[in-house]
């Protein structure tokens, strides 16, 4: 009989293209993956891996077996979900992920709710960027993800996934005290400056949205500082190096030297919980979504 753990290792190598990437995805060492593949070769009496320069490549036989492994692993997941649904118990391993702001602003409260009401649930938490989360949920590597989109960039949901909206998070412009916009009750897009912006790196959702927002006001933004974390962006604003567009969930306590100015109409990003549709029968999924909703209640994000 083929061992499921070895099939999972083979499938991960086929999906990610290397032993190292498969090991990272499964949170094991590359040597552990190599050992599983070697044992699977002995089980099947077939060569599955060939040397390819410094790495390895899968043989045709391995590719065929990996296709079957994908189907087998999906059936196992369905069986586990059906069995948990039959029992009605919130048990088993549940892996959750969120992008950095939500990991800090929502997950701690959600985990507290889950641990209080479902102590037998085994939780594993990751911090991930939204695009990576969607891939990992689709592949079955994580069970539930908290992702985001901005209104100008709707999230494309891959086939086989379901979602529910958790929170509408408004973004404000953060300016240094003494800036021409400081102290205003609100500003319109046309009032925003075109120069001296602090933003995340190019290619990220938040960077793309800032560019879209300013260009819609016919301004070409000049980004002078780039930082991924909003507290870092705010610190740069406080030091007088520019302005930043910061969602309220990502704001946290503000230092001296900055002023928050609402934008009219307000820029909004929406947060979602996403899971595999086939796993929706799991009581653990439903409990986790409820916990995320509870964590979002009363947040000053809108």
């Amino acid at each position: 009989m083929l061992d499921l753990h070895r099939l999972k290792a083979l499938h991960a190598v086929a999906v990610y293209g290397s032993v190292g990437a498969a090991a990272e995805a499964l949170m094991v060492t590359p040597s552990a993956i190599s050992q599983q593949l070697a044992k699977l070769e002995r089980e099947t009496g077939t060569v599955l891996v060939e040397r390819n320069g410094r790495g390895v490549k899968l043989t045709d036989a391995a590719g065929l077996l990996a296709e079957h492994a994908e189907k087998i692993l999906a059936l196992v997941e369905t069986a586990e979900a059906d069995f948990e649904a039959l029992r009605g118990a919130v048990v088993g391993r549940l892996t959750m992920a969120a992008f950095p702001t939500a990991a800090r602003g929502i997950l701690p409260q959600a985990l507290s709710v889950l641990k209080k009401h479902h102590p037998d649930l085994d939780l594993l938490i990751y911090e991930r960027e939204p695009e990576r989360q969607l891939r990992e949920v689709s592949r079955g590597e994580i069970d539930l993800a908290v992702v985001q989109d901005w209104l100008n960039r709707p999230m494309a949901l891959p086939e086989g996934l379901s979602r529910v909206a958790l929170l509408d998070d408004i973004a404000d412009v953060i300016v240094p005290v003494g800036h021409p916009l400081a102290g205003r009750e609100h500003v319109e897009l046309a009032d925003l400056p075109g120069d001296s912006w602090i933003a995340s790196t190019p290619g990220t959702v938040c960077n793309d949205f800032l560019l879209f927002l300013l260009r819609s006001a016919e301004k070409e933004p000049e980004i002078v500082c780039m930082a991924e974390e909003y507290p870092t962006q705010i610190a740069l604003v406080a030091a007088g190096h520019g302005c930043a567009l910061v969602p309220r969930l990502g704001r946290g306590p503000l230092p001296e030297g900055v002023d928050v100015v609402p934008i009219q109409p307000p820029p909004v990003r929406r947060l979602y919980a996403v899971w595999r549709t086939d796993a929706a029968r799991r009581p653990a999924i439903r409990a986790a979504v409820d916990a995320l909703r509870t964590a979002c209640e009363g947040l000053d994000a809108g």
Side-chain angles (χ1 to χ4, degrees), residues 277-289:
T277 303
D278 289 344
R281 296 182 297 279
R282 289 188 64 191
I285 295 290
R286 297 195 297 271
V289 172

Side-chain angles (χ1 to χ4, degrees), residues 188-233:
E188 298 180 357
L189 288 181
D191 300 321
L192 296 178
D195 59 353
S196 301
W197 282 93
I198 299 159
S200 55
T201 53
T204 60
V205 174
C206 296
N207 182 283
D208 288 350
F209 183 71
L210 176 63
L211 298 182
F212 166 82
L213 196 69
L214 293 174
R215 286 169 179 168
S216 67
E218 299 183 350
K219 297 182 179 182
E220 187 60 31
E222 177 193 356
I223 296 176
V224 296
C225 299
M226 287 181 281
E228 299 305 324
E229 293 291 332
Y230 288 121
T232 305
Q233 294 184 19

Side-chain angles (χ1 to χ4, degrees), residues 120-169:
D120 294 329
L121 188 61
D122 182 17
L123 294 165
L124 180 61
I125 307 303
Y126 300 94
E127 184 180 284
R128 294 280 196 267
E129 291 300 324
E131 293 82 1
R132 180 175 177 180
Q133 289 184 68
L134 289 177
R135 293 194 300 270
E136 292 183 343
V137 173
S138 295
R139 294 168 177 167
E141 293 150 20
I142 56 177
D143 298 309
L144 187 69
V146 179
V147 300
Q148 64 168 335
D149 66 12
W150 292 91
L151 294 186
N152 72 302
R153 187 176 170 182
M155 179 180 63
L157 198 66
E159 185 178 354
L161 300 186
S162 297
R163 72 179 181 184
V164 64
L166 297 173
L167 181 70
D168 282 350
D169 190 14

